[in-house]
Amino acid sequence: MQTDVLLLICVCVLGAAGRSVHHRGQMFENYSQTRSRRETQREGEGGHKSGSPILKRSPDITKAYMTKSEQLLRVDDHDFTMRPGFGGPAIPVGVDVQVESLDTISEVDMDFTMTLYLRHYWKDERLSFPSNTNQSMTFDGRLVRKIWVPDMFFVHSKRSFIHDTTTDNVMLRVFPDGKVLYSLRVTVTSMCNMDLSRFPLDTQTCSLEIESYAYTEDDLMLYWKKGNESLKTDEKISLSQFLIQKFHTTTKLAFYSSTGWYNRLYITFTLRRHIFFFLLQTYFPATLMVMLSWVSFWIDRRAVPARVPLGITTVLTMSTIITGVNASMPRVSYIKAVDIYLWVSFVFVFLSVIEYAAVNYLTTVQERKERKLRDRLPCTCGMPHPSALMHSSYSDVDVNTTGNYSMPEENGDKRERILVQLALADDRTGVVGKSPRSYASVWIDTHAIDKYSRVIFPGAYTLFNIIYWSIYS
């Protein structure tokens, strides 16, 4: 009895479970059919819509998330160690440059430093890719190491480097037809042969030369992409000592005996030196020292402690100016314009010292002769007046001053003279001769050198300045 009850309960439970599962299956099937009908209806409605750009636009593989640039450009499918079109005509590579700054120009090292953006343009069909909407793809320096790029270098450069802050300043842009733009920011220090014969009134011309290192003109043809317009400069470029007059570009061929002919591009710029700095630091001080040396011509010749230190001071100051200028200049084997001016000024200062030495020497000799002539004069004791011994030609002489052997002032200048009375005595009688020729006077003007120097020195130095500035300016 109990067994029959248990069997009846199990049958009831199993029947209820089967009906539930069957109901769920029908619900899931109905949901799936309904969803399928909705999707089919939407697809039908979407297929009949016209003018929808989203549905008509074809997919762009350059925008695909899973596509790698190396696979898109097929970098692994080609040998990029060879130039484009190997075995054919030379590949043209256009170049343009934008000068960012002209940093320093050194006369001592004969070089200049320039920062610029260097851009190359060429076509490599191996890098072409299909694209309907994306005009180009831009990469950094990591892809540059995997493809072919022109091997440019700066001729006569001493130092150069590509900026790497915060990353390498290199840009590669590839177009769908295979055209490539390769740009980099570089600072280069290059040699500049300067002619300093007119320094500091000079004008210098320097050139930055660009050339392929390995490829001759048969393999690579370098050219300025837009002629002179290929060179752009920043309007804010300025230098402390130079005025930038002009930039221009040229193209020439360079020949090497062991490798052949190469295309070479030139960036030539002309610089004119500012003269005002050197006028203040060199020319004006030198001129003032020369004028200071002329002050001694108006100082009494007997004032030795005043005239000698003045001459020595001006000479030493000129030596210091010459040494300071030469210390900042290269040791060239020719004479510069500033050397001519400084050394001529030094000669004028030196001659002013020599002039006083001559005046002092002649004064000493004169005083010695005067002393000897005084000793030879006869004694005038007991005579009624010294004028009795004088010739009538000396009647205009102040008799009260004959004892001092001096004349009154004439034209504002006190001309010192020595009036010498020579007594012609008879050796046998000792009587003083009464002949008019018995007396003579010796006139010695010791101020003549100083008086002429006051005119000759300034006149000669002014003439030198006129000739100097007319030649070098």
Side-chain angles (χ1 to χ4, degrees):
M1 184 68 181
Q2 293 179 354
T3 303
D4 295 335
V5 174
L6 290 174
L7 289 174
L8 180 61
I9 293 173
C10 291
V11 171
C12 292
V13 172
L14 290 176
R19 285 192 301 269
S20 177
V21 171
H22 178 71
H23 179 69
R24 291 179 181 178
Q26 289 181 352
M27 292 178 61
F28 181 77
E29 183 178 358
N30 293 334
Y31 175 77
S32 300
Q33 293 177 358
T34 303
R35 183 177 180 181
S36 299
R37 286 195 302 268
R38 289 178 180 177
E39 291 179 355
T40 303
Q41 183 179 1
R42 289 178 180 178
E43 290 178 0
E45 292 177 356
H48 289 85
K49 286 185 179 180
S50 60
S52 177
I54 299 177
L55 297 175
K56 284 188 173 182
R57 185 174 59 183
S58 59
D60 188 356
I61 58 175
T62 62
K63 295 295 185 179
Y65 178 76
M66 299 301 295
T67 304
K68 294 183 178 180
S69 58
E70 291 84 353
Q71 296 176 357
L72 180 63
L73 299 176
R74 296 171 298 179
V75 174
D76 297 333
D77 297 341
H78 302 282
D79 184 9
F80 283 97
T81 59
M82 312 298 291
R83 69 172 180 86
F86 179 77
I91 174 177
V93 177
V95 176
D96 68 38
V97 171
Q98 181 175 348
V99 179
E100 180 182 5
S101 64
L102 192 58
D103 302 325
T104 58
I105 298 177
S106 175
E107 295 87 359
V108 178
D109 299 327
M110 292 287 184
D111 59 20
F112 66 92
T113 302
M114 178 186 294
T115 301
L116 51 90
Y117 296 94
L118 181 62
R119 303 184 183 96
H120 310 77
Y121 302 86
W122 74 94
K123 185 176 182 180
D124 192 347
E125 295 181 353
R126 296 172 295 184
L127 297 176
S128 60
F129 58 91
S131 177
N132 297 326
T133 57
N134 194 24
Q135 298 298 322
S136 63
M137 292 191 299
T138 303
F139 307 94
D140 56 15
R142 288 171 289 187
L143 185 62
V144 174
R145 303 183 185 95
K146 300 180 180 181
I147 65 172
W148 182 90
V149 294
D151 57 339
M152 301 301 172
F153 80 104
F154 298 99
V155 186
H156 305 308
S157 66
K158 298 181 179 180
R159 297 174 300 275
S160 60
F161 63 92
I162 299 175
H163 291 260
D164 56 359
T165 306
T166 58
T167 59
D168 292 339
N169 296 170
V170 176
M171 185 268 289
L172 184 71
R173 182 170 295 170
V174 183
F175 295 84
D177 58 352
K179 292 182 179 180
V180 181
L181 166 60
Y182 174 48
S183 176
L184 63 157
R185 180 169 174 256
V186 60
T187 295
V188 57
T189 300
S190 182
M191 182 177 63
C192 179
N193 294 323
M194 301 182 184
D195 183 12
L196 300 175
S197 58
R198 299 177 63 89
F199 176 88
L201 305 170
D202 56 336
T203 300
Q204 301 296 338
T205 300
C206 300
S207 296
L208 182 63
E209 305 171 14
I210 306 172
E211 184 182 307
S212 173
Y213 191 83
Y215 297 99
T216 63
E217 63 171 349
D218 296 330
D219 292 323
L220 191 146
M221 183 182 68
L222 276 180
Y223 68 97
W224 290 109
K225 186 173 179 60
K226 298 180 181 179
N228 282 331
E229 295 182 359
S230 301
L231 180 62
K232 303 294 183 180
T233 58
D234 192 344
E235 297 179 355
K236 298 181 180 180
I237 295 179
S238 62
L239 298 171
S240 59
Q241 292 190 22
F242 290 93
L243 173 65
I244 303 176
Q245 292 185 329
K246 64 177 180 178
F247 279 89
H248 66 278
T249 61
T250 54
T251 304
K252 296 181 181 179
L253 286 176
F255 176 73
Y256 297 91
S257 59
S258 57
T259 55
W261 292 90
Y262 294 81
N263 294 112
R264 182 177 295 180
L265 305 180
Y266 292 81
I267 302 174
T268 305
F269 53 95
T270 304
L271 305 171
R272 183 175 181 84
R273 195 183 305 272
H274 294 298
I275 187 59
F276 190 72
F277 170 81
F278 296 95
L279 288 177
L280 294 178
Q281 298 296 324
T282 304
Y283 286 97
F284 284 167
T287 303
L288 291 177
M289 287 301 104
V290 174
M291 297 175 66
L292 182 62
S293 67
W294 300 340
V295 176
S296 63
F297 302 151
W298 277 266
I299 301 178
D300 188 4
R301 70 182 186 279
R302 298 180 183 86
V304 178
R307 296 189 66 167
V308 172
L310 180 61
I312 294 176
T313 301
T314 53
V315 169
L316 293 178
T317 304
M318 284 301 305
S319 301
T320 303
I321 295 175
I322 294 174
T323 303
V325 171
N326 291 330
S328 59
M329 295 299 298
R331 299 176 181 178
V332 294
S333 58
Y334 50 84
I335 298 177
K336 303 181 290 294
V338 67
D339 294 336
I340 296 176
Y341 193 91
L342 292 179
W343 280 104
V344 170
S345 300
F346 182 84
V347 169
F348 272 88
V349 172
F350 182 76
L351 288 179
S352 67
V353 178
I354 299 299
E355 185 270 347
Y356 176 65
V359 170
N360 187 270
Y361 174 76
L362 293 179
T363 302
T364 303
V365 172
Q366 175 184 335
E367 291 177 353
R368 188 182 299 115
K369 289 182 179 180
E370 181 182 351
R371 191 179 303 110
K372 290 180 180 181
L373 291 175
R374 283 179 180 177
D375 295 339
R376 293 177 58 185
L377 286 176
C379 181
T380 59
C381 299
M383 290 185 178
H385 203 280
S387 61
L389 298 176
M390 293 186 179
H391 192 266
S392 60
S393 61
Y394 300 104
S395 59
D396 57 338
V397 180
D398 186 4
V399 295
N400 295 325
T401 61
T402 55
N404 296 327
Y405 305 98
S406 63
M407 291 292 293
E409 294 184 0
E410 294 182 6
N411 298 327
D413 293 333
K414 184 177 180 181
R415 304 176 60 190
E416 292 193 1
R417 305 170 182 177
I418 300 176
L419 179 61
V420 181
Q421 181 182 5
L422 300 177
L424 302 178
D426 190 357
D427 295 336
R428 291 173 297 177
T429 60
V431 179
V432 178
K434 301 297 182 180
S435 172
R437 298 183 179 180
S438 299
Y439 306 100
S441 63
V442 180
W443 300 73
I444 302 177
D445 190 356
T446 57
H447 283 285
I449 298 178
D450 279 344
K451 183 179 66 177
Y452 294 143
S453 297
R454 296 169 190 171
V455 178
I456 294 175
F457 273 73
Y461 193 71
T462 302
L463 179 62
F464 161 71
N465 274 273
I466 294 174
I467 297 174
Y468 178 87
W469 293 109
S470 62
I471 292 175
Y472 288 101
S473 62

